Amino acid sequence: LALRQEEARRLLRLHAVPEAGEQALWRHLDTPYFQRHTAEEIAWHARNLCWRVNRPEPVVKARLVRTGGGLQVLAYLPDRTALFARICGYFGRAGLSIVEAKVHTTRHGYALDTFVVQDSRDQDAGSREAVARIEHDLAEALRSDAALEPPAPGRVPRQQRHFPLTPEVRIFPDDKGTSYILEVVAGDRAGLLARIAWVLANANVNVASAKINTLGERAEDVFLIDGARLHDEQALRRLETALYDELRI
C-alpha cells in the first residue's frame, strides 16, 4: 500500500497537484480503498476531488479507458438512500452496460464510486461528446429528488437466449458479523446491475461496497450490504427470492 500511495503521489506531482494536496481527500479514506484501486485511479480521484472534498453538489468525471474500450466514470457526492440504484438506473436508461464497479463510502459519509461502462451499439461511446454528455446528465440525475425509476428492460444477448445461465444468489454474514455479503452470478445483459440495485433499494438494503466483474457472458458481482431487515431470517429469504425473480426476467 505504501508503494501504491507513493506512485499515486508521483503521478499527482506530474499534474501539478501541490505537495501533500492529496491529504485533503486521503484522510477520509481507509485501507480497503487503497487496496481496491490502482495507483493511477487513486491519483485520478485525488486530482479531481482534493479541492472539493466537502462539496455538496455531485462531482461526475468521465474519461476514456486506456485498454478494453469504454469509459471510466467517477461519481462523488454525499451518500444518500438508494444512491447506487440511482446511478445504475441512469446507466441502464442511457444504454450503457456496467462492466466494472468499485463502490466506496468515505469516513465522512461521501460516496466515491467508479464505474467502467461500455455501449457496443454506439461507435461514439468513447468520444469527447459522450464524456461531456455523461458528466452532465449523470450529475443532473444525482441532483434530482424524484422517485427512483424502475430499471429499463435489458436486451438478452442471443447466446443467453439459447444457452441461459442459471442465476446464483448467496447472502451470508461477513467476518465481523455486522454486515452481509451478497454474491450474484448471472448471465450478463444490459441493465443487469440496475435490476440488482433496484431490488436492494426496494428492500431498504444499503450497498456499502461492490466489486463488479464481467467475464464474457458471465457476470460475477459481490456486494457488502447492510440493513436492519437482513437480520430477519424471513426478510432475508424474501430478498433472495426477489433477486432470483428479477434475474430470471
Side-chain angles (χ1 to χ4, degrees):
L1 293 183
L3 291 174
R4 188 172 300 175
Q5 290 176 348
E6 187 58 35
E7 174 61 12
R9 289 190 184 94
R10 186 188 70 82
L11 294 171
L12 286 167
R13 300 296 90 79
L14 293 177
H15 286 88
V17 175
E19 192 74 30
E22 65 278 359
Q23 290 302 323
L25 175 66
W26 285 11
R27 67 184 180 185
H28 298 296
L29 303 175
D30 53 17
T31 298
Y33 168 84
F34 292 101
Q35 289 175 326
R36 297 177 58 224
H37 294 83
T38 66
E40 205 278 333
E41 288 173 334
I42 293 168
W44 183 50
H45 292 167
R47 190 168 76 246
N48 284 286
L49 301 176
C50 65
W51 52 280
R52 42 189 172 187
V53 171
N54 297 307
R55 173 176 167 163
E57 291 291 305
V59 177
V60 177
K61 290 295 177 181
R63 62 176 183 173
L64 298 176
V65 176
R66 295 182 178 179
T67 58
L71 295 173
Q72 188 173 38
V73 182
L74 162 67
Y76 178 81
L77 68 160
D79 200 11
R80 56 188 283 197
T81 301
L83 175 61
F84 183 65
R86 196 173 293 274
I87 296 174
C88 294
Y90 163 78
F91 286 133
R93 292 190 299 275
L96 297 168
S97 177
I98 301 171
V99 296
E100 182 180 293
K102 297 177 182 178
V103 177
H104 192 80
T105 305
T106 69
R107 289 189 175 117
H108 69 318
Y110 273 63
L112 200 170
D113 302 344
T114 310
F115 300 82
V116 174
V117 298
Q118 293 180 341
D119 187 349
S120 58
R121 302 168 301 171
D122 186 358
Q123 297 301 316
D124 296 324
S127 67
R128 291 187 178 182
E129 290 78 9
V131 168
R133 182 173 63 251
I134 289 175
E135 289 183 344
H136 174 270
D137 292 352
L138 179 54
E140 285 297 307
L142 295 178
R143 290 189 186 97
S144 173
D145 291 324
L148 187 66
E149 297 181 30
R155 181 180 60 86
V156 179
R158 181 184 304 174
Q159 175 78 5
Q160 288 187 40
R161 290 199 296 268
H162 297 295
F163 304 99
L165 179 63
T166 302
E168 300 175 23
V169 177
R170 295 181 62 225
I171 304 176
F172 53 93
D174 67 355
D175 292 339
K176 297 179 181 179
T178 56
S179 300
Y180 282 76
I181 295 172
L182 165 64
E183 294 181 348
V184 175
V185 177
D188 187 40
R189 58 190 287 190
L192 172 66
L193 194 54
R195 290 177 174 274
I196 297 173
W198 167 259
V199 172
L200 296 177
N202 282 336
N204 292 321
V205 172
N206 176 60
V207 177
S209 66
K211 186 69 174 69
I212 309 302
N213 278 313
T214 304
L215 309 170
E217 301 293 331
R218 179 186 177 95
E220 297 182 356
D221 304 341
V222 181
F223 307 86
L224 182 67
I225 57 177
D226 57 63
R229 294 186 178 182
L230 295 175
H231 300 280
D232 182 325
E233 190 68 25
Q234 291 185 347
L236 202 58
R237 298 287 81 79
R238 287 196 296 270
L239 176 59
E240 289 181 342
T241 300
L243 286 167
Y244 273 116
D245 291 343
E246 193 66 41
L247 294 172
R248 289 193 184 102
I249 296 177

